[in-house]
């Protein structure tokens, strides 16, 4: 596959796709990080930007922890723990074991090397640096040539509504193992958030905007709900494509399927497509869900079939190339 200009024909339009032109991905969680990695492998250095959810950021023992930012960063750097999808390969937990000896409940597991990321991020935030500046510095130190962009610099906290009341996201997701029935999502602080200049510039320059196969409620949803973000994306002339996180009636990882059901949506790629209606031009779904193509196209978007389960780097690259229309 060459990095020269490639002539392709798309169902929506015919266009010349120049791999050197910018691509913007919206991502959060393991599935989003995997596709972002595939895009990074398929594109020339410097042509990919990834806007990452920060609604699941939280404070623990005085440290500022950014789970989605770190998952994307570790994945793009090749340092991620492949078995679990998050954290660092080969990390140890001696620090957590010592905390347990002190009687501290270590419900949120942090590896020893991972702690260094949170320590440095917190130190730099206290020095007055923005989350965007810090993320850029950390990513560059790990050799990442794509831009990893927090959705905003202001703090936003994700809460979920459950029969037992409002739960902060990490309590729901980690401590409760996302077993609670969710009837709604609340984003505290979202009204005071703004897209950063870096994010707005990436949107303006992008030829393609990709909604990765991330949870539409708690990964992609917070990004789109930053005031001004959705309007900027809709106003962009970029080709907009989403990859369904639902395959065969289930989420490959996390609570997306359960949240679709409990919040009154169809647990299928159609349910996801309805959430993105008016935003995207094209939706890519897995071969297992081919029967949903006409239902998705009835929503005013093109539906395409691909192998969306990413078990290897080759899978990630192949799906990314399909997203970018590089494969027939």
């Amino acid at each position: 596959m060459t990095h020269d200009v490639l002539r392709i024909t798309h169902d929506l339009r015919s266009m010349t796709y120049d791999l050197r032109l910018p691509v913007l991905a919206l991502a959060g969680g393991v599935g989003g990080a995997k596709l972002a990695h595939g895009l990074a492998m398929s594109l020339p250095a410097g042509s990919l930007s990834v806007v990452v959810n920060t609604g699941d950021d939280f404070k623990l023992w005085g440290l500022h922890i950014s789970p989605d930012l770190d998952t994307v960063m570790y994945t793009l750097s090749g340092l991620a723990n492949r078995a679990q999808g998050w954290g660092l390969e080969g990390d140890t937990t001696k620090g957590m074991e010592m905390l347990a000896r002190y009687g501290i409940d270590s419900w949120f597991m942090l590896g020893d090397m991972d702690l260094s990321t949170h320590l440095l991020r917190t130190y730099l935030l206290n020095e007055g640096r923005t989350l965007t500046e810090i993320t850029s510095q950390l990513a560059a130190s790990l050799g990442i040539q794509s831009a990893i962009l927090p959705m905003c610099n202001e703090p936003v906290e994700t809460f979920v509504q459950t029969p037992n009341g409002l739960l902060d996201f990490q309590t729901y997701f980690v401590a409760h193992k996302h077993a609670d029935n969710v009837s709604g999502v609340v984003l505290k602080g979202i009204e005071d958030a703004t897209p950063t200049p870096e994010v707005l510039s990436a949107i303006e320059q992008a030829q393609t905007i990709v909604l990765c196969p991330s949870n539409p409620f708690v990964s992609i949803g917070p990004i789109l709900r930053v005031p001004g973000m959705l309007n900027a994306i809709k106003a962009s002339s970029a080709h907009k494509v989403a990859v369904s996180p639902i395959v065969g009636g289930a989420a490959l990882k996390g609570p997306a399927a359960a949240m679709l059901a409990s919040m009154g949506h169809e647990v299928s790629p159609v349910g996801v497509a309805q959430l993105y209606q008016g935003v995207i031009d094209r939706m890519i779904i897995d071969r297992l869900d081919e029967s949903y193509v006409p239902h998705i196209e009835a929503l005013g978007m093109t539906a395409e079939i691909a192998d969306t389960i990413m078990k290897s780097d080759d899978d990630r690259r192949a799906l990314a190339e399909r997203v970018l229309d590089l494969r027939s």
Side-chain angles (χ1 to χ4, degrees):
M1 185 72 65
T2 177
H3 283 166
D4 295 335
V5 177
L6 300 176
R7 179 72 64 179
I8 64 170
T9 302
H10 187 268
D11 290 337
L12 291 177
R13 56 183 174 172
S14 295
M15 64 180 183
T16 299
Y17 197 98
D18 189 338
L19 281 171
R20 295 164 297 186
L21 291 177
V23 172
L24 175 66
L26 277 57
V30 175
K34 285 182 177 181
L35 181 55
H37 185 215
L39 291 166
M41 289 189 290
S42 302
L43 292 163
S47 59
L48 173 67
S49 297
V50 187
V51 178
V52 182
N53 168 50
T54 58
D56 61 351
D57 286 20
F58 72 113
K59 295 285 180 64
L60 186 65
W61 308 311
L63 299 177
H64 184 109
I65 300 174
S66 298
D68 278 357
L69 279 174
D70 291 343
T71 295
V72 171
M73 182 172 70
Y74 295 156
T75 302
L76 264 62
S77 66
L79 298 174
N81 183 313
R82 290 281 180 141
Q84 61 192 19
W86 49 269
L88 289 157
E89 186 68 37
D91 210 350
T92 53
T93 58
K94 297 297 184 182
M96 300 298 294
E97 292 166 16
M98 192 65 189
L99 281 173
R101 290 186 65 180
Y102 287 132
I104 301 299
D105 181 6
S106 55
W107 64 274
F108 193 93
M109 183 60 63
L110 297 174
D112 299 324
M113 292 190 295
D114 192 31
L115 271 169
S116 299
T117 302
H118 312 312
L119 285 166
L120 182 55
R121 178 189 292 116
T122 304
Y123 171 77
L124 293 173
L125 284 169
N126 291 338
E127 289 289 301
R129 302 279 294 279
T130 67
L131 188 58
T132 297
E133 293 169 339
I134 296 164
T135 303
S136 177
Q137 176 181 331
L138 295 176
S141 298
L142 297 181
I144 298 170
Q145 295 180 305
S146 303
I148 301 178
L149 305 173
M151 68 185 196
C152 60
N153 287 320
E154 299 83 4
V156 175
E157 297 177 272
T158 300
F159 290 79
V160 295
Q161 295 171 330
T162 76
N164 296 316
L166 208 59
L167 295 178
D168 69 86
F169 182 74
Q170 297 303 337
T171 296
Y172 156 75
F173 188 70
V174 180
H176 291 192
K177 303 184 187 302
H178 49 81
D180 300 89
N181 196 57
V182 175
S183 59
V185 175
V186 176
L187 300 176
K188 293 188 177 181
I190 194 69
E191 64 279 356
D192 297 320
T194 56
T196 65
E198 292 84 357
V199 168
L200 291 175
S201 177
I203 293 172
E204 183 179 356
Q205 295 178 41
Q207 177 169 302
T208 301
I209 296 176
V210 182
L211 276 61
C212 290
S214 305
N215 188 306
F217 301 108
V218 294
S219 293
I220 302 298
I223 300 174
L224 297 179
R225 285 178 59 184
V226 174
M229 187 78 75
L230 185 57
N231 286 340
I233 291 173
K234 285 183 175 181
S236 168
S237 60
H239 175 52
K240 305 174 185 82
V241 55
V243 178
S244 174
I246 301 297
V247 177
L252 297 178
K253 199 173 185 70
M259 293 180 77
L260 280 165
S262 64
M263 294 171 69
H265 301 274
E266 182 177 331
V267 184
S268 75
V270 177
V272 178
Q274 288 170 336
L275 294 171
Y276 295 152
Q277 190 174 13
V279 180
I280 63 172
D281 309 311
R282 181 166 58 114
M283 183 144 190
I284 295 178
I285 65 176
D286 194 80
R287 297 185 187 280
L288 291 174
D289 297 312
E290 185 172 4
S291 62
Y292 291 110
V293 167
H295 304 285
I296 292 172
E297 296 196 331
L299 299 173
M301 61 189 74
T302 296
E304 295 182 10
I305 305 299
D307 295 312
T308 65
I309 299 175
M310 295 172 282
K311 294 182 179 179
S312 66
D313 282 355
D314 287 343
D315 293 338
R316 297 177 188 187
R317 187 183 289 107
L319 180 57
E321 291 177 351
R322 185 61 184 273
V323 167
L324 297 173
D325 275 331
L326 302 183
R327 294 166 65 90
S328 60

